[in-house]
Structure formats: C-alpha cells, structure tokens
C-alpha cells in the first residue's frame, strides 16, 4: 500500500481487526469491502479473505495471492475463477530487480519505518511470540540490547 500510493493507485483495505484498520488509514483511500476492483491482493492465509477477494474483483480482474494457505484445502472456487474470467496469480517473493527498485525508493525518501509496529530485544523473544500470536505485530524489529535501536 505504501508503494502503490506513490503511483496514484486508489486503494481499498479490509481487515477484521480495528487496530490494523486504523493503521492502514495512512495509506488506503477506503476501508471496507468493495466490488468491481481491477486487482485484489490477498496478504493473509485466511479462507474468508480469499473468498472476499474473489467476490470483490471485477469480471476479467486479477487476484494476487501473496500468502500461504497451508492450513486450508480446496479454498479456491474454480467456478468463480472460470465464470468470472479471473486471473489468479501466486507469489511468495520478488525478483532481485524489484529489490533493487525498492532500494532506490528508499534512497529517494520512501521511509519504511512507519510500518514498524513493535520493537523487541533478542532477550524478549517470548514477548514477541505472545504479541505475534495475538496478531498485533505488523512488522517487528529485533535489536541486540534495547528497544530503541
């Protein structure tokens, strides 16, 4: 979302957790389900989120799966893809050239620090695991000795 806003893309965000929705308001134009979207990115392994993505994309649109569904079986509606003439694309990483482009954005002033929601010391890994289990951590940073680093 942070990068797409640099290109003037209209963004819609959906998340069931109020804290994450409030955090997303920095970058998205609208929060809540929409329909007839050109592209939907699913960045969670949640079955309901995938179903909502398939229902939100326009006929002929694209759904990008940037998540794993290792706990789920049969979550993709083949009929919805077929009759909706949808493109479903899976990815788990980015090519090196995209990493180079991201580094150029950082040099040009894109600041990723607002994405960091939590800081932990190496000694507080238990605290991290508890916060992660509660799904509170968006991006966490570990530092050797204090939370200020």
């Amino acid at each position: 979302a942070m990068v797409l806003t640099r290109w003037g893309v209209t963004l819609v965000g959906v998340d069931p957790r109020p804290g994450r929705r409030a955090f997303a308001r920095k970058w998205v134009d609208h929060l809540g389900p929409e329909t007839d979207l050109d592209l939907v990115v699913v960045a969670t392994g949640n079955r309901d989120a995938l179903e909502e993505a398939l229902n939100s994309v326009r006929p002929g649109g694209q759904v990008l799966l940037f998540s794993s569904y290792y706990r789920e079986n049969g979550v993709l509606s083949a009929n919805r893809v077929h009759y909706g003439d949808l493109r479903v694309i899976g990815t788990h990483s980015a090519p090196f050239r995209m990493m180079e482009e991201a580094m150029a954005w950082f040099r040009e002033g894109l600041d990723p620090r607002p994405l960091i929601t939590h800081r932990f010391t190496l000694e507080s890994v238990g605290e991290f695991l508890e916060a992660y289990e509660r799904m509170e951590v968006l991006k966490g940073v570990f530092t050797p000795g204090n939370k200020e680093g």
Side-chain angles (χ1 to χ4, degrees):
M2 179 186 277
V3 171
L4 291 173
T5 58
R6 295 171 60 95
W7 294 327
V9 174
T10 300
L11 297 173
V12 176
V14 177
D15 195 297
R17 292 177 290 295
R20 290 174 62 105
R21 282 196 310 271
F23 185 80
R25 287 189 192 282
K26 298 174 188 173
W27 296 286
V28 300
D29 302 295
H30 176 72
L31 288 170
E34 290 285 326
T35 57
D36 294 326
L37 299 171
D38 294 321
L39 168 67
V40 178
V41 178
V42 184
T44 176
N46 180 283
R47 179 186 203 122
D48 293 336
L50 176 56
E51 190 65 30
E52 187 168 333
L54 292 172
N55 291 328
S56 297
V57 69
R58 68 169 173 74
Q62 299 179 54
V63 176
L64 175 65
L65 301 179
F66 190 69
S67 184
S68 167
Y69 289 85
Y70 64 91
R71 293 182 186 151
E72 306 280 346
N73 288 313
V75 298
L76 189 63
S77 169
N79 275 341
R80 178 68 183 101
V81 173
H82 172 72
Y83 289 110
D85 194 25
L86 305 180
R87 286 188 61 204
V88 178
I89 304 160
T91 185
H92 72 279
S93 188
F96 185 73
R97 67 174 176 73
M98 292 181 89
M99 298 296 178
E100 288 177 321
E101 188 173 341
M103 292 305 296
W105 292 334
F106 297 145
R107 285 190 295 275
E108 294 168 6
L110 180 65
D111 184 5
R113 289 178 292 190
L115 296 176
I116 299 170
T117 58
H118 291 74
R119 295 181 182 277
F120 302 95
T121 64
L122 295 177
E123 294 79 20
S124 67
V125 69
E127 183 183 331
F128 159 73
L129 292 172
E130 289 171 6
Y132 183 80
E133 184 68 25
R134 290 188 305 268
M135 297 183 182
E136 295 173 353
V137 179
L138 180 63
K139 296 293 178 197
V141 173
F142 282 89
T143 57
N146 62 50
K147 293 183 181 183
E148 304 302 318

